[in-house]
Amino acid sequence: MVKTNLKTLKIRAQSEIKTAKDLEELNKIFKRYLGKKGELTQVLHSLEKLSRTKRIKIGQEANQLKNFLKIKFDQKAQEIKEKVRKEVEEKEWIDITAPGKKPALGHLHPLTQVKRKTEEIFQAMGFSVVEGPEVETEWYNFDALNIPPEHPARDIWDTFYLKNGLLLRTHTTPVDVRYMEKHNPPLRIITIDRCFRHEATDASHEVNFYQIDGLQVSKNISVANFKATIQEFFRRFFDQEIKIRMRPSYFPFTEPSFEVDMVCLNCGGKGCPACQKTGWMEMMGAGMVHPAVLKNSGLNPKNWQGWAFGMGFDRLCMMKYKINDIRLFYSSDLRFLQQF
Ligand code: DAH
């Protein structure tokens, strides 16, 4: 009776030890068999009730089994510890020779990139890069530029007026006046900055946009100087020879005034949807600075002449990168921005 018990006990104990998942479980199994009240311990305790011969025989077997199981427990405990150690090692292992993770770095906005490139080109041609306030007085935005209060031209430059009488500038041309007031000619400047207009937004209009304004004032300055400068700028900006043409136009602050077109980069002048089949892209307004503007800036028109131009800067960037919607610049859409 006891003997068969020992045999099945051995088989049971062995299989339980084998499947123990961790030390805690193994401990419980140990207690069940070899603890104070463990099954095998009880067998050993009950030996005294047996006859001498049985006691010796079964006692021997029980003790052998006890030793056998102890070894099995030890082995299993080692095995579990080793397994845990390996798991920890695997989890916590770091390859100190692995290359570092590249942090996601941002970069300059495409408008800023192109702004810097444009400034560089003009600086190389002797121009200073200057700035003026985005919130302007009516005087600098309109009157000084020869646009009196009732002048119809104010309609095309409708803007946002602040309660204190100031306004958000509609162009960067007022910077020309501010600069001429404080600096003596000869002078050459460009300003690339933010402007605002009160108008509905669409693919080519935003209430907030960028404009580049250029000005050169000196003696004996003519339209020829302007044409050469702007042609050279386009050549460097687009990295290719660019054909331009000038058409008569009107601006209150220039006389004569003209519109400058460049050959459509999309079709090379053949005519396509991008240029409304004309083969030309309208690029900027320009002209010889109006004597009234020179006078308003504190310069004597008899002594000084100059040319000026104004160009939508977003538009210039759109042409460079073939972007078809101005709103993309202000949408903060990473899918767009990450392409630059
Ligand atoms: N400021 C004008 C505009 O916003 C553009 C312009 C035209 C600027 C002629 C100039 C210029 O400096 O000479 O439409």
Side-chain angles (χ1 to χ4, degrees), residues 263-275:
V263 78
C264 175
L265 289 183
N266 210 34
C267 62
K270 286 192 197 81
C272 68
C275 58

Side-chain angles (χ1 to χ4, degrees), residues 73-135:
F73 274 114
D74 279 350
Q75 279 174 349
K76 184 67 185 179
Q78 281 310 320
E79 204 180 287
I80 290 175
K81 278 184 199 159
E82 180 65 10
K83 200 175 132 225
V84 170
R85 194 185 63 75
K86 270 199 181 138
E87 274 170 8
V88 169
E89 200 178 77
E90 240 162 68
K91 227 189 335 189
E92 297 184 354
W93 180 82
I94 43 166
D95 181 359
I96 53 168
T97 65
K101 274 197 192 127
K102 208 172 171 190
L105 283 184
H107 61 71
L108 294 176
H109 191 278
L111 282 177
T112 309
Q113 289 179 29
V114 181
K115 182 176 189 256
R116 292 197 179 173
K117 181 176 164 111
T118 306
E119 287 170 351
E120 246 171 57
I121 295 172
F122 275 102
Q123 277 173 322
M125 293 197 284
F127 284 72
S128 301
V129 176
V130 304
E131 287 184 336
E134 288 172 6
V135 176

Side-chain angles (χ1 to χ4, degrees), residues 145 156-157 170-174 176 197 209 211-215 250-251 253-254 257-259 284-289 307-311:
L145 292 173
I156 49 170
W157 284 292
T170 58
H171 45 188
T172 38
T173 318
D176 296 352
R197 283 194 200 172
F209 60 99
Q211 207 180 54
I212 167 170
D213 203 289
L215 170 75
Y250 169 77
F251 296 101
F253 31 88
T254 46
S257 304
F258 30 85
E259 212 79 46
M284 68 179 91
M288 298 304 291
V289 182
W307 54 254
F309 73 86
M311 172 165 41

